Amino acid sequence: MKNTLLFLFSLIISFSTEATDRLDVIDFKIQNSNLDKVIEIAQSKFNSNSAEALELSLLVAEKALEYNNLKQYAIANELLGKIYSYRGELKNARTCIDTSFKYWKSISDTLKMSYCYGYLGDLEYSICNYSKAESFYQRGFDLKIITKDSINYSYSYNALGNINLEKCNYDEAISNYNKALKLNIQFKSISGICYTNNALGNVYFETNDLKSAKKHFEEALRIGKENNLDKNIAFTLNQLAKLHNRLNNRTSAIDLYNESLLISKNLLSKSGIAFSYMGMGEVYQSLMQNDKAIENLNRALKLFEELGSKKNAANCYLNIGMVLYEMKKHSLAKENFIKSLEINQKIGYLKGIAEAYRKVGNACFQENDYANSMTNYNKSLTIQKQIGNLKGIASCYTNMGLVYVKTDSLELAKDVFNKAITINITINNVGGNASTYNNLGALYKAQKNNKEAIKYLLKSFDIASETEQKPLMAESAKNLSEIYSLDKNYQKSLYYHQLYFDLYNSMYNAQMENRIGWIQMQNEREKRVSLEKIFTNEKAIEKEKLKKQSLINSFLLVIVVLILLSISLIYSFYVAVKKANKKLTNEIVERKKIELQLEDNHRNLESLVKIRTLELVKAKEKAEQSDQLKSSFLANMSHEIRTPMNAIIGFSKLLTMTNSQKKQSYYTSIIYENGHILLTLINDIIDISMIESKQLKIKKSNFKVYPMLEELKSTFDELKNNDKKNNIEFTIYKNDIPEDLTIFSDQIRIKQVLINLLRNALKFTKSGHVDFGIELIKDKIRFFINDSGIGIPYEDQALIYDRFRQASNNSAEYGGAGLGLTISKSLVELLNGTIWFTSKPNVGSQFYVDLPLLTNPIKTPTEATKFDNGIDFSGKKILVAEDTKSNFLYIREVLRKTNAEVTWAKDGLETIEQFQLNNFDLVLMDIQLPKMDGYEVTRKIKLENPHVPVIVQTAFNHQDKEQNQAQSGFDDIITKPYTERQLLKIISQNLS
């Protein structure tokens, strides 16, 4: 029995000893005598990036005050300032550094004062107050020289290098950094060597020497990893990721940013986390994953705003704007660029202000606002010159050149492009010159100087090839192909066209492969994480199993030694063990199920990738087809617009060269006819744009059908005479329709649809017949047009309602923009009707329009009395606000026959002056007036005398009449161009 008790006691002792060995408790009392020792521990924890450094430093400062030990209190505050600065808590950092500085100044410790000046400089630098930062750095450096503290000269050299880098003084920055690096190597300052290598890498990155940048970043990373300097490692990983993104190594860049992000999270460094998120946003932008780009940039922005890091917040807004710019959301992009500009202006960061102005200019350029675009480029250029940023100056010149090209100022464009080239050669900006040479080539091409154009385009192509800029290579090859074709050098034209095609396909395929590779990489990463979890679970299960086995053995020993437990207890324990084993078995079975599920997921992903690849190929084919349609449309529209314009310009000139009244009448009729053709085309383009933007409104009223049929017959007879197709028989079928049949719909839009169909029937019928009629079918009214024309090929019948589509048998002989049927179909659908057709090639076509047969009990006001040339406005004074002289002369000629007194005002301010000096009976107001627009002028007139009617005239199809009328107060509106009758009618209505 005695031996048994001894054995149990020893067993208990062994268990308690094992538990005690697993405890790792460090506890000591901080006293005045060991404050310096505790400070050393806190400093070492800060150097090793331990989060305990802050807590320990705060404790030292508290104890130092308690013991009235001001020296240790100053040292603790100095360390606290560095910790707060690293964590981005700048207000706390400044308070601590100021406290430390006051003490060292009170005891005239020059060396310690020099350190504090450096820390204060860092704080000013972090908020972009560079002049003040430089002043603090220089004071610190001067004190170091006085104390001959050469070991810490490197700190000042690095600080001054940072200032020069921000001011774009790259040579001075490199000189300062090299001095710092030499001293850090001499005195074996490991963290200093890391810092300076990163700084040098940044300068070379800014100056496009990417090879040197990579060399310094990799050296900094190597030293940081060898010495476990987590802070330096996190920073360097971000720098390397930025470089890999520039080199198009997107996957590597994301991996590096994620690695840095993990370290920064462990160090509780908000600034480090924010920089990683911002970098990842830039990479996702390059991958065209815009949602992820904006998500990461917003994360970074939130952190930088919490830290008060305004410079970096401004940079985030700039990057978000660039993502939106690439998405062609130019208005939203400009808003973010302006936010970046405003922040940079508040903190005085000139380099950021210059870049923001340039980006705002780019957004204005895309919105065709060339005046504001040039204004912003000039502001950016002024600042770039002020800070000596040659790369920024070259970029501004290039952007300005593109504006000059758009505004046909080709000589000015050539001048600024050449300035950009000279600067880029100076700073070895090869990529920038490639783009500028391409712009120069396009400029000379526009001037039809093909020899110079080819010379610069070949230069652009060669440089782009050397620097692997495939988009620029493709653009240069396309331009070269077009110029060689103009020179009839078809062999070279074909060569460069094939090269362009190959490059385009290569870029498209590479982009798709990059996206698919990205998806595969994400899948592999998720699979790896799942396997790691399974491995961890297996380890935990094995550990738990061993632990349970150990407990079983211990209890068995106790049972064997004591032999006091009953058989029932042994059986119960056996059952518990069996349950535990069964649980383990079930967990193993579950793990195998998970593995099988992972394999299935992998196979499914491969299938999804293949399906997505096929979808992308189809999308590419559709995009190419769309490009062909656009090119065809542009060529067709150019022909359709230039043809009537040619007749208008030509016969206008002939009209001035003849005195024959017969010829003058003939020329005038031709000019009027072609002007009507051009107006019809413009109206079609406006209608299709308003339909697509859902701004076109249907205006329904009661009207009789029979008068509309007679009007359409007159219109068709006129079209037939104009086209000299008197051999076509035109018949109207009324099918016993009551003569007083009235329907409730939009008469103007119905006539527009039917005239389009009648015009097409006449155009595509050389001889034979065109039948037009109506019939009632239950609750519908049907209009039909039947012709004996060329018909529509079967393969084209599914496409004729598409925009800009024309049937394959519609040759240049027939012309047309391909918009009529598209507009007609849209209008019929807006009228709640349907349009359909049947057609046989070389036999004819039958088009049907079914509309609801509705009536409205509300009576439509009868049409006002018709106007003729006998109308009299004697004694009436009319003010015409019109900035275009020809428009005023037309109005004056129309009103001269009415005996009205007409006064002309050329701009908004003159209109108000004339109105105040004279008692006018009516004002005819143009919207687009210089100095003050028509709406604003109308508001001021109505404040002066609300009873004088104001008629607004505009060149736009005004859909928001009610809203603008409510805001400005005008009485009526007339849309240009208008007829003499329309003008007299609206004036008479408002004078009565």
Side-chain angles (χ1 to χ4, degrees):
M1 187 67 182
K2 182 179 178 181
N3 291 332
T4 303
L5 291 173
L6 285 172
F7 176 76
L8 288 172
F9 181 74
S10 63
L11 201 60
I12 294 167
I13 292 296
S14 66
F15 283 144
S16 62
T17 304
E18 184 181 351
T20 306
D21 289 341
R22 288 199 299 267
L23 293 174
D24 185 16
V25 179
I26 299 174
D27 190 16
F28 58 86
K29 186 176 181 182
I30 299 178
Q31 297 177 341
N32 191 28
S33 58
N34 67 355
L35 282 176
D36 54 347
K37 182 65 177 176
V38 181
I39 282 285
E40 286 180 20
I41 296 171
Q43 181 68 54
S44 67
K45 287 185 179 294
F46 173 66
N47 293 337
S48 62
N49 310 298
S50 171
E52 296 173 8
L54 176 63
E55 184 180 351
L56 199 54
S57 300
L58 286 168
L59 193 57
V60 171
E62 182 185 337
K63 288 293 182 181
L65 272 183
E66 183 183 330
Y67 298 132
N68 200 26
N69 190 335
L70 296 182
K71 180 179 178 182
Q72 295 299 338
Y73 181 65
I75 295 171
N77 271 285
E78 186 178 314
L79 180 56
L80 281 168
K82 292 193 287 184
I83 295 170
Y84 282 129
S85 179
Y86 174 69
R87 292 173 62 144
E89 299 176 31
L90 304 185
K91 188 175 180 181
N92 288 339
R94 183 180 297 278
T95 302
C96 293
I97 297 300
D98 283 341
T99 301
S100 181
F101 181 78
K102 287 175 184 176
Y103 174 76
W104 302 125
K105 188 175 181 182
S106 69
I107 63 171
S108 301
D109 191 327
T110 308
L111 184 61
K112 287 288 189 180
M113 287 168 62
S114 72
Y115 296 159
C116 287
Y117 274 131
Y119 303 143
L120 289 170
D122 289 342
L123 293 173
E124 296 296 336
Y125 177 85
S126 66
I127 59 172
C128 305
N129 193 346
Y130 298 124
S131 58
K132 200 167 182 181
E134 188 173 15
S135 171
F136 280 132
Y137 288 144
Q138 195 59 55
R139 288 185 204 174
F141 197 20
D142 292 342
L143 291 177
K144 287 184 179 73
I145 293 171
I146 292 170
T147 58
K148 298 181 180 179
D149 181 27
S150 55
I151 193 170
N152 284 310
Y153 286 179
S154 59
Y155 176 90
S156 296
Y157 282 130
N158 276 329
L160 292 170
N162 292 339
I163 297 293
N164 283 310
L165 175 59
E166 290 297 334
K167 291 183 175 181
C168 304
N169 301 329
Y170 299 119
D171 290 338
E172 292 180 31
I174 290 172
S175 174
N176 281 306
Y177 289 142
N178 278 324
K179 289 176 183 177
L181 184 60
K182 185 177 178 182
L183 286 166
N184 283 323
I185 293 171
Q186 179 184 342
F187 294 107
K188 298 180 181 179
S189 173
I190 304 301
S191 60
I193 295 170
C194 282
Y195 181 90
T196 310
N197 270 301
N198 276 317
L200 281 165
N202 260 327
V203 181
Y204 289 121
F205 183 86
E206 286 284 320
T207 55
N208 291 315
D209 187 353
L210 302 185
K211 186 176 179 182
S212 297
K214 186 178 181 184
K215 170 189 160 188
H216 284 287
F217 288 148
E218 288 180 343
E219 178 65 10
L221 184 62
R222 182 188 66 80
I223 294 170
K225 287 186 174 180
E226 284 180 359
N227 295 276
N228 299 316
L229 301 175
D230 287 349
K231 270 193 303 185
N232 300 83
I233 293 169
F235 180 77
T236 309
L237 286 169
N238 278 336
Q239 302 300 94
L240 264 175
K242 177 176 66 175
L243 178 65
H244 277 278
N245 188 36
R246 174 78 70 86
L247 295 169
N248 299 323
N249 302 328
R250 315 294 185 203
T251 304
S252 298
I254 288 289
D255 285 340
L256 289 166
Y257 277 127
N258 275 318
E259 190 179 347
S260 174
L261 180 64
L262 184 61
I263 296 171
S264 295
K265 284 182 177 179
N266 289 334
L267 297 175
L268 304 177
S269 172
K270 283 188 179 180
S271 59
I273 294 168
F275 278 116
S276 295
Y277 279 139
M278 184 164 65
M280 284 193 279
E282 293 170 1
V283 180
Y284 282 122
Q285 178 190 353
S286 304
L287 287 166
M288 293 189 297
Q289 296 189 34
N290 298 320
D291 52 345
K292 286 191 176 182
I294 291 176
E295 178 187 349
N296 280 280
L297 288 169
N298 276 318
R299 285 178 179 174
L301 176 61
K302 184 179 178 182
L303 287 169
F304 283 133
E305 286 178 340
E306 286 177 5
L307 295 170
S309 183
K310 293 183 179 179
K311 173 186 170 184
N312 290 312
N315 200 20
C316 284
Y317 278 120
L318 195 73
N319 284 333
I320 292 170
M322 289 166 68
V323 177
L324 294 167
Y325 184 91
E326 291 296 324
M327 294 169 70
K328 302 192 183 304
K329 296 183 178 181
H330 301 122
S331 179
L332 288 174
K334 185 163 66 175
E335 288 179 14
N336 281 277
F337 293 151
I338 290 171
K339 285 180 183 178
S340 176
L341 175 64
E342 290 170 348
I343 294 171
N344 282 319
Q345 285 174 331
K346 284 180 182 178
I347 62 177
Y349 181 39
L350 294 178
K351 189 175 179 182
I353 295 169
E355 186 61 14
Y357 271 132
R358 195 170 73 84
K359 294 297 184 185
V360 173
N362 290 346
C364 293
F365 180 83
Q366 292 298 331
E367 293 175 335
N368 300 325
D369 186 357
Y370 301 125
N372 276 329
S373 179
M374 186 61 80
T375 299
N376 282 284
Y377 289 149
N378 275 315
K379 288 179 180 179
S380 178
L381 180 62
T382 301
I383 298 170
Q384 301 285 19
K385 287 180 177 179
Q386 179 183 340
I387 63 177
N389 184 5
L390 295 178
K391 184 178 177 183
I393 294 169
S395 297
C396 286
Y397 280 141
T398 302
N399 292 140
M400 292 166 76
L402 294 173
V403 176
Y404 286 136
V405 169
K406 285 289 185 182
T407 54
D408 292 326
S409 304
L410 300 184
E411 290 302 318
L412 291 172
K414 195 186 303 179
D415 179 56
V416 292
F417 282 148
N418 282 318
K419 286 180 179 178
I421 289 169
T422 303
I423 294 170
N424 283 327
I425 291 171
T426 304
I427 63 176
N428 196 30
N429 184 9
V430 179
N433 260 351
S435 177
T436 311
Y437 282 139
N438 182 65
N439 291 333
L440 265 175
L443 186 150
Y444 281 114
K445 176 186 170 188
Q447 289 184 325
K448 298 183 179 179
N449 187 345
N450 292 348
K451 184 178 178 182
E452 287 296 304
I454 289 170
K455 181 178 84 172
Y456 283 105
L457 287 171
L458 285 172
K459 280 186 177 183
S460 174
F461 184 84
D462 290 342
I463 295 172
S465 300
E466 290 173 9
T467 55
E468 297 183 356
Q469 298 182 69
K470 286 190 178 180
L472 192 55
M473 289 170 65
E475 188 177 348
S476 299
K478 183 182 178 184
N479 287 330
L480 283 166
S481 173
E482 291 173 358
I483 293 175
Y484 279 125
S485 177
L486 292 172
D487 280 352
K488 298 183 179 180
N489 189 341
Y490 300 116
Q491 185 176 359
K492 285 191 175 180
S493 176
L494 179 61
Y495 168 76
Y496 281 106
H497 180 76
Q498 185 62 44
L499 193 58
Y500 161 71
F501 185 78
D502 292 343
L503 284 166
Y504 178 84
N505 280 339
S506 170
M507 289 187 294
Y508 183 86
N509 292 334
Q511 189 179 40
M512 292 305 104
E513 287 172 8
N514 198 0
R515 292 293 296 274
I516 292 169
W518 177 257
I519 293 168
Q520 289 175 334
M521 186 196 76
Q522 291 290 85
N523 178 57
E524 287 297 325
R525 181 176 288 159
E526 290 173 5
K527 182 179 177 182
R528 188 168 63 248
V529 170
S530 296
L531 289 173
E532 286 174 356
K533 285 182 178 177
I534 291 170
F535 179 74
T536 303
N537 287 338
E538 285 181 344
K539 282 283 189 183
I541 290 168
E542 187 65 29
K543 189 175 179 181
E544 186 68 22
K545 191 174 180 181
L546 289 171
K547 184 178 177 182
K548 288 179 179 178
Q549 190 63 44
S550 176
L551 287 172
I552 291 167
N553 292 335
S554 300
F555 277 111
L556 285 174
L557 280 172
V558 173
I559 290 167
V560 170
V561 172
L562 297 176
I563 316 176
L564 298 174
L565 297 175
S566 65
I567 297 300
S568 60
L569 288 175
I570 295 171
Y571 178 75
S572 299
F573 185 74
Y574 169 76
V575 171
V577 171
K578 188 176 179 180
K579 285 183 179 179
N581 287 333
K582 187 177 179 180
K583 184 180 178 183
L584 287 172
T585 304
N586 291 337
E587 288 177 351
I588 291 168
V589 170
E590 189 64 30
R591 179 177 62 80
K592 288 181 178 178
K593 287 181 182 177
I594 292 170
E595 288 176 348
L596 290 172
Q597 185 64 42
L598 280 172
E599 290 177 4
D600 289 341
N601 289 344
H602 182 68
R603 284 193 295 273
N604 291 337
L605 182 62
E606 288 179 346
S607 300
L608 287 172
V609 169
K610 288 178 182 177
I611 292 167
R612 182 57 179 155
T613 303
L614 289 173
E615 289 175 351
L616 290 171
V617 170
K618 289 180 182 177
K620 176 189 173 187
E621 291 172 354
K622 188 173 181 182
E624 289 173 349
Q625 186 183 26
S626 177
D627 282 343
Q628 291 171 359
L629 277 175
K630 288 178 183 176
S631 300
S632 174
F633 165 68
L634 289 172
N636 195 20
M637 291 305 294
S638 176
H639 174 267
E640 292 297 320
I641 293 172
R642 289 175 184 272
T643 300
M645 281 300 296
N646 188 55
I648 292 168
I649 293 169
F651 281 99
S652 295
K653 186 173 182 180
L654 290 174
L655 191 63
T656 64
M657 297 168 63
T658 181
N659 294 321
S660 169
Q661 286 189 352
K662 184 177 181 181
K663 284 186 177 181
Q664 286 177 349
S665 176
Y666 176 60
Y667 294 163
T668 304
S669 68
I670 292 174
I671 292 169
Y672 177 80
E673 180 182 342
N674 280 276
H676 185 72
I677 291 169
L678 191 59
L679 179 62
T680 301
L681 178 61
I682 292 168
N683 283 337
D684 282 349
I685 294 170
I686 291 171
D687 280 347
I688 197 66
S689 65
M690 291 181 69
I691 288 168
E692 290 191 349
S693 61
K694 298 182 180 178
Q695 292 184 354
L696 191 139
K697 297 178 181 177
I698 296 298
K699 299 179 180 178
K700 293 185 179 181
S701 61
N702 287 326
F703 67 91
K704 291 184 179 180
V705 177
Y706 258 72
M708 184 181 74
L709 296 181
E710 295 301 322
E711 186 178 343
L712 288 171
K713 184 178 185 307
S714 300
T715 301
F716 186 84
D717 289 340
E718 183 181 348
L719 291 171
K720 192 170 72 169
N721 291 335
N722 290 341
D723 291 350
K724 297 179 181 179
K725 290 189 176 181
N726 295 319
N727 57 333
I728 295 175
E729 183 179 351
F730 180 59
T731 307
I732 292 183
Y733 293 92
K734 300 176 182 177
N735 295 322
D736 298 327
I737 302 298
E739 290 191 8
D740 61 346
L741 176 65
T742 302
I743 64 172
F744 182 67
S745 191
D746 190 329
Q747 183 180 9
I748 293 173
R749 294 303 179 184
I750 293 175
K751 283 197 290 185
Q752 183 179 350
V753 172
L754 296 176
I755 289 171
N756 275 342
L757 297 177
L758 286 169
R759 187 184 288 119
N760 280 352
L762 183 64
K763 185 198 300 186
F764 298 115
T765 304
K766 292 185 178 179
S767 63
H769 66 87
V770 174
D771 300 330
F772 169 52
I774 60 173
E775 56 185 341
L776 297 180
I777 303 171
K778 293 184 179 179
D779 58 348
K780 294 187 294 186
I781 181 168
R782 174 174 292 171
F783 299 88
F784 60 86
I785 293 94
N786 183 2
D787 68 64
S788 59
I790 62 175
I792 304 168
Y794 293 116
E795 65 272 16
D796 294 337
Q797 290 186 9
L799 306 172
I800 65 167
Y801 292 123
D802 292 353
R803 290 179 305 160
F804 319 128
R805 288 275 196 180
Q806 294 180 319
S808 54
N809 62 348
N810 182 1
S811 63
E813 173 186 353
Y814 298 102
L819 293 174
L821 286 176
T822 306
I823 294 170
S824 297
K825 185 174 187 296
S826 299
L827 290 175
V828 169
E829 289 172 352
L830 287 171
L831 292 167
N832 300 319
T834 55
I835 182 170
W836 50 286
F837 72 94
T838 60
S839 182
K840 290 183 180 180
N842 302 318
V843 175
S845 303
Q846 300 81 40
F847 277 84
Y848 302 89
V849 176
D850 290 349
L851 295 172
L853 185 60
L854 301 174
T855 58
N856 192 326
I858 300 173
K859 292 184 179 180
T860 306
T862 57
E863 186 179 351
T865 306
K866 292 187 178 180
F867 297 90
D868 54 34
N869 293 333
I871 196 165
D872 189 7
F873 292 152
S874 297
K876 300 294 184 183
K877 296 173 69 177
I878 297 175
L879 174 61
V880 178
E882 173 62 66
D883 63 321
T884 304
K885 185 176 181 181
S886 57
N887 288 347
F888 168 71
L889 293 176
Y890 172 69
I891 294 167
R892 187 178 68 181
E893 287 302 313
V894 170
L895 294 176
R896 179 175 290 175
K897 299 181 238 180
T898 68
N899 301 318
E901 182 181 340
V902 181
T903 302
W904 183 23
K906 302 181 187 64
D907 57 55
L909 295 179
E910 186 180 343
T911 302
I912 294 170
E913 291 174 3
Q914 289 282 6
F915 187 82
Q916 291 172 341
L917 293 173
N918 299 281
N919 295 319
F920 289 103
D921 298 291
L922 182 139
V923 180
L924 196 59
M925 179 74 64
D926 187 31
I927 291 298
Q928 302 290 332
L929 285 176
K931 298 184 182 178
M932 186 183 296
D933 68 59
Y935 291 134
E936 183 63 27
V937 175
T938 301
R939 279 193 288 272
K940 293 185 179 295
I941 285 176
K942 287 295 182 179
L943 288 173
E944 190 80 22
N945 187 343
H947 302 295
V948 175
V950 177
I951 301 173
V952 165
Q953 51 173 338
T954 175
F956 300 105
N957 194 339
H958 219 284
Q959 291 296 318
D960 298 322
K961 174 182 174 182
E962 292 81 2
Q963 181 181 350
N964 286 298
Q965 189 169 10
Q967 291 176 354
S968 58
F970 64 81
D971 298 274
D972 216 332
I973 187 167
I974 185 169
T975 304
K976 298 177 183 177
Y978 45 74
T979 63
E980 175 182 350
R981 181 180 174 281
Q982 289 170 328
L983 180 61
L984 292 174
K985 177 181 177 182
I986 199 167
I987 291 175
S988 180
Q989 288 172 341
N990 283 277
L991 282 175
S992 61

